[in-house]
Structure formats: structure tokens, C-alpha cells
Amino acid sequence: MSTAATTPNSPVRLRAIDAPDQPDVTPALEELYRGFEQELLVPLWTEIGDLMPASPRSRAVPHLWRWENLRRLAAQAGDLVPVGRGGERRAIALANPALGGRPFATPTLWAAIQYLMPGEDAPEHRHTQHAFRFVVEGEGVWTVVGGDAVPMRRGDFLPQAGWNWHAHHNATREPMAWIDGLDIPFQYVTEAQFFEFGRDEISEAERITPERSRSERLWGHPGLRPVRAGELTPGTPLLSYKWEFTDRALTDQLALEAEGFGGAVEPGHAAVRYVNPATGADVLPTLRAEMHRVARGAETAPVRETGSSVYQVFDGSGTVTVGDRTWTVTRGDLFAVPSWQPFSARSEAGSTDSDSGALDLFRFSDSPVFEALQLNRTHIEGTTR
């Protein structure tokens, strides 16, 4: 290996290495490398193993966050950290241990627990980042999106496309926590993000607690699309996907499988995807969301996918394996699945720890981005796919 001096003040540092796939180390090669450094040039032959590996090498690692710990720390934050301009949201992001302390669950996905105290309002703002809320426990908070008050209850999935005004208010005497998912890391790395403050307080007319939002009354009817829908936005116009419908769809899939009909992903594994009722596409341009149900005793086949995902255990218990890590999980726990890391789950749920008697997993991923760029690839162990 060369010890020749590098070019001062250049961020490019090149080393001539005596290796079979590298050019012979000579004074002329050293001189060439110093010229590259001076002109801020990097030859591909010194970088190809890192830039073009045989398969994806994610900067993230598999990691598990325990819900009981997140909930406890969020409650402490509720006593100490105000909600308002400056703090804006009492949201506590999951930081993947391999990403240098950045508040990113994976290189493209943000996940956070948000906590709102009784009677509190989270002030209005908007941003280009696409977002959703998923409720694993509790109720009593309404999110107000473009003046439409949307109730948040256990099992509800609430997507919201970017650049929509939104605020939250807790109309009860109990605190409430939920999970936020956004594409903040993706927009951060692509340098595409915008943010704008809105009103400090929502109006009394918006401080209502309807059973159903206006978006649900217009769009929340299975298989039916309003003829006069108005202008469509990049994301779904339906602001709440109720747990009762998700639960029924999963229950019916497993029942049909037991009767000898198709519909399930694999034996004992039902899954549904949240979609835009106007187009049938994903609910958000950069984020995909699904709910998976694994019957007691069933185990999913290990699957690898390009792109990353974050799971939350909605109900039940079991074991999950991501790469070389295996964890026992229970309600509320979250874990990250980096790109091309094999993932599988085994259900150990029963009537004592699950309303459905199965392991229910909420999942969100960056799949729409990879599909749009035709970079999506999936491999299921034991198949040619």
C-alpha cells in the first residue's frame, strides 16, 4: 500500500493498493492519483466494490424498539416538554443504531411515537413530507386535516398526503399516544422538502368530535366512488381506514383459506394493503401500508425485498426474525427491516393476548419509490421468485 502524500485540502483521498484487481503500484500511478485528488476525481476501479455490490448493503441494521419503553418515555416527555411553536410536536423518533444518531428508522423511513396530553392542541402546519398516523392503543384525539376533523381510535390508519394543513386536539381527559410514519429521510436526502407554519389554534368550528369525518362520509364506502369527486390530490382522499373493516377483511381471508379457497398470502398468513379508493394505487406516493395477520402456530416464509420497512405489532405475540436477529414481540413493539434482509414471523398469539387470536402486524415501507424507479425486487425463500 502506498504511503505517498496526498494533495492538501482535497476531500478526495486515493490509495494505490497491491491487489489482483488493481493496477500495479508504481510512482507513475501515485502521480496519477495525486492528479485525481487535485481535480476532485475518483476512478471507478478503486470504488466499484462499494458503489456496485453484488446485492444491496443497507446502512441500517435490524433493530427492535419495545413499546413499553417508548410509552413510558413519551409519558415522561408529556410532563416535561410543551407542545407548541418551537417544539411543534411531541414526537420522539426511532433512531436506527447504524445511522449515526440520525432520527431515521431506515435510510428512507421515519417512525415516531407522538404523545398528546389531555386538552392539548398540536398547532397547525404543513410540509411536503407524506405522513400517516397509526393507533395501537387509545382514542380521544382528533386530527384536523384541511378543516376536516378525523377521529383516531385503536387500529385506525390515517394517511395524509404532503402539503395539507393539519393539527391535532385531544378532547378527552386522558393522554394518547400513536405512531407517526413519514418519508422525511427520503425527502431529506433528495433535498426536496418544504415546511410552513399555520395557525396557532384551530377554530371552534373545527374543534368538534364527529363520529365520522367528511372524507369518510364521501369516500369510505367499499367499492363505491363518488361520481363528482372534485380535484384529486397525489394521495388518498380518504383520511381514515377503520379497524373494523381491516379486521373483517383479514378474518374473511383466513376463513376462506380454511374452506379451501384462495386469497391468503400463504397458509395461515392473511394480508391487506391500504389503497387509494379513487385510483387503487398506494395511499401515498412514497409510502405503502399493509396489515398482516398470522394465525397461531403459522410461520411466514423468509422474504427479501429491496427497500426497507418498519413493522409494529398491533396485537398478539410471536417471534420475528430479521437477518441474523430474532426477537420475541408483543403488542406495540416496533422493528426495522433493512433492504434485502430476510424477514419471517411466527405467531404464538392466542385468546389471552390477541383479540383476533392471531399475530397482527402493521407494516409500512418505501415500496412505491422502488416500484416507480423499477428497482423493486423480491425473493421468497424456497421459490424461484
Side-chain angles (χ1 to χ4, degrees):
M1 181 177 293
S2 170
T3 59
T6 58
T7 303
N9 304 320
S10 174
V12 176
R13 293 289 185 267
L14 300 176
R15 295 180 178 179
I17 299 174
D18 185 11
D21 58 348
Q22 294 294 308
D24 293 337
V25 179
T26 65
L29 183 68
E30 297 285 7
E31 182 180 357
L32 175 65
Y33 280 7
R34 302 296 80 76
F36 285 165
E37 290 173 350
Q38 184 175 351
E39 297 300 324
L40 302 180
L41 301 171
V42 179
L44 178 61
W45 61 82
T46 66
E47 300 288 332
I48 191 167
D50 182 53
L51 294 178
M52 304 174 71
S55 60
R57 299 175 184 171
S58 179
R59 290 182 291 117
V61 295
H63 191 73
L64 173 75
W65 292 266
R66 295 291 182 189
W67 179 248
E68 60 180 350
N69 296 331
L70 297 178
R71 190 73 164 74
R72 173 177 51 82
L73 292 169
Q76 288 179 239
D79 294 331
L80 299 172
V81 181
V83 169
R85 297 305 185 208
E88 197 67 14
R89 295 286 190 266
R90 193 183 291 111
I92 306 157
L94 311 185
N96 192 287
L99 297 181
R102 298 297 296 166
F104 303 156
T106 77
T108 55
L109 300 175
W110 163 287
I113 181 173
Q114 188 167 161
Y115 197 82
L116 203 61
M117 297 291 282
E120 278 188 331
D121 291 346
E124 186 181 63
H125 65 209
R126 65 177 177 175
H127 40 71
T128 49
Q129 292 86 353
H130 303 293
F132 69 80
R133 286 159 279 287
F134 178 71
V135 185
V136 74
E137 64 181 33
E139 61 180 72
V141 168
W142 271 254
T143 182
V144 182
V145 182
D148 191 5
V150 188
M152 296 171 58
R153 300 185 179 92
R154 172 167 160 75
D156 291 352
F157 169 69
L158 302 101
Q160 173 204 296
W163 215 236
N164 280 289
W165 293 112
H166 57 284
H168 314 308
H169 70 98
N170 188 338
T172 71
R173 297 182 179 179
E174 297 293 332
M176 183 174 168
W178 63 88
I179 290 299
D180 289 335
L182 295 93
D183 61 357
I184 291 175
F186 172 72
Q187 292 205 27
Y188 179 84
V189 74
T190 56
E191 300 179 345
Q193 65 271 47
F194 291 87
F195 179 93
E196 188 174 337
F197 290 118
R199 299 164 297 171
D200 290 333
E201 296 182 0
I202 58 176
S203 68
E204 287 303 317
E206 294 167 303
R207 197 179 299 280
I208 55 177
T209 55
E211 186 67 21
R212 292 187 302 153
S213 64
R214 295 195 302 270
S215 79
E216 292 170 82
R217 291 163 62 191
L218 185 61
W219 288 98
H221 307 286
L224 300 173
R225 182 187 191 278
V227 173
R228 188 176 179 85
E231 183 179 357
L232 297 177
T233 63
T236 175
L238 180 59
L239 298 178
S240 179
Y241 292 69
K242 294 299 188 189
W243 170 244
E244 61 181 293
F245 302 122
T246 308
D247 180 41
R248 187 182 307 161
L250 295 168
T251 299
D252 285 346
Q253 272 192 34
L254 291 180
L256 286 167
E257 181 204 358
E259 296 166 16
F261 300 100
V265 176
E266 56 190 325
H269 178 193
V272 293
R273 181 173 300 164
Y274 300 95
V275 298
N276 184 329
T279 64
D282 284 295
V283 287
L284 296 168
T286 56
L287 298 173
R288 172 167 295 167
E290 299 171 338
M291 183 66 76
H292 293 250
R293 175 167 290 172
V294 185
R296 179 176 175 83
E299 185 169 359
T300 67
V303 58
R304 296 177 186 260
E305 295 179 285
T306 50
S308 56
S309 59
V310 175
Y311 284 78
Q312 181 168 41
V313 180
F314 176 67
D315 214 355
S317 61
T319 57
V320 297
T321 298
V322 184
D324 60 359
R325 302 295 304 276
T326 297
W327 304 288
T328 298
V329 294
T330 58
R331 180 186 287 189
D333 291 346
L334 293 112
F335 55 94
V337 180
S339 183
W340 211 242
Q341 290 287 313
F343 163 73
S344 62
R346 177 177 174 80
S347 174
E348 297 165 4
S351 58
T352 59
D353 65 356
S354 173
D355 294 336
S356 67
L359 175 63
D360 289 343
L361 298 170
F362 171 79
R363 177 201 185 205
F364 75 99
S365 71
D366 50 19
S367 295
V369 176
F370 284 75
E371 290 181 0
L373 298 175
Q374 298 187 28
L375 296 174
N376 55 304
R377 183 178 293 193
T378 300
H379 175 72
I380 303 173
E381 188 174 289
T383 72
T384 57
R385 228 178 113 194

